[in-house]
Amino acid sequence: MPMAADDIETMIREAIPDAEIEITDLAGDGDHYAARVVSESFRGVPRVKQHQAVYAALKGRMGGELHALQLTTAAPE
Amino acid sequence: MSDPQSRIDETVKGNDVVLFMKGSPLFPQCGFSSRAVAILEHCGVEFASVDVLQDQEVRQGIKEYSDWPTIPQLYVKGDFVGGSDIMMEMYEAGELQALMQEKGVAATAG
């Protein structure tokens, strides 16, 4: 079962409340997304840990229902 | 028969650069794996690859090994580097090439 963009955003926001989240439906099929997550909590944190924080927010859906999520993370400029 | 975690550990530590992917470098079976292969080829580094589609235990085990839910996964000199998005970001910033150099992995281009 694919996930809706809103659900992805809600889950990320619950775990990372200050995040600025931008979800793009890449293929228009509700199954291939790109997400950009910007949060102060990422400052000074290695990329792998930033991505792991987002994956943790998605509670095991990443890699299962959510196969195709292209992820970009950053601290605010 | 050794357990999947030790087999994965041996592979990760036994190769300078190893990519766990879906399919083979010649015939990647998913867009993310294909992108990861292209990035490594652009860096000009030699790398070993493991096709997780050929081994369900490794396919599941690698996610636990690195606490990372998706494939591909890149390891350099025993350290987990990231998935294809991180590889792309690092490549575009020149960081992946720098990492290879820093770790003493020979590159022919980049």
Side-chain angles (χ1 to χ4, degrees):
Chain A
M1 270 290 286
M3 278 178 80
D6 284 353
D7 296 340
I8 301 173
E9 184 168 339
T10 305
M11 290 186 88
I12 297 174
R13 190 166 311 284
E14 269 171 21
I16 314 171
D18 79 317
E20 189 185 302
I21 304 164
E22 199 183 297
I23 313 263
T24 316
D25 189 337
L26 292 175
D29 62 357
D31 201 24
H32 296 77
Y33 295 104
R36 182 175 163 78
V37 182
V38 178
S39 163
E40 189 56 45
S41 67
F42 290 158
R43 195 172 302 281
V45 175
R47 275 198 193 97
V48 169
K49 299 272 175 212
Q50 297 179 7
H51 283 223
Q52 271 167 339
V54 176
Y55 292 155
L58 294 169
K59 297 182 178 136
R61 302 220 186 173
M62 190 67 207
E65 291 159 73
L66 256 184
H67 160 68
L69 178 70
Q70 206 172 302
L71 186 59
T72 316
T73 54
E77 297 272 329
Chain B
M1 280 292 280
S2 54
D3 67 277
Q5 292 300 316
S6 0
R7 279 194 288 138
I8 290 168
D9 197 51
E10 272 169 36
T11 307
V12 165
K13 294 185 173 147
N15 294 282
D16 277 0
V17 183
V18 58
L19 183 70
F20 288 79
M21 62 179 291
K22 292 180 180 170
S24 69
L26 274 181
F27 297 103
Q29 298 293 313
C30 123
F32 293 96
S33 289
S34 172
R35 197 157 61 124
V37 167
I39 292 167
L40 289 176
E41 285 175 351
H42 276 287
C43 287
V45 297
E46 279 188 30
F47 62 98
S49 69
V50 175
D51 179 2
V52 302
L53 300 179
Q54 304 294 326
D55 191 330
Q56 280 304 317
E57 284 187 342
V58 169
R59 184 176 185 172
Q60 196 46 49
I62 193 69
K63 296 178 183 180
E64 289 150 22
Y65 184 80
S66 54
D67 189 22
W68 192 260
T70 57
I71 288 152
Q73 296 185 11
L74 176 69
Y75 296 81
V76 177
K77 295 267 179 170
D79 292 331
F80 176 54
V81 175
S84 65
D85 294 328
I86 287 181
M87 288 174 68
M88 184 54 96
E89 273 186 68
M90 289 181 76
Y91 175 71
E92 285 176 344
E95 292 171 21
L96 192 60
Q97 300 88 320
L99 174 80
M100 298 291 182
Q101 216 161 25
E102 198 180 295
K103 299 250 185 185
V105 176
T108 54

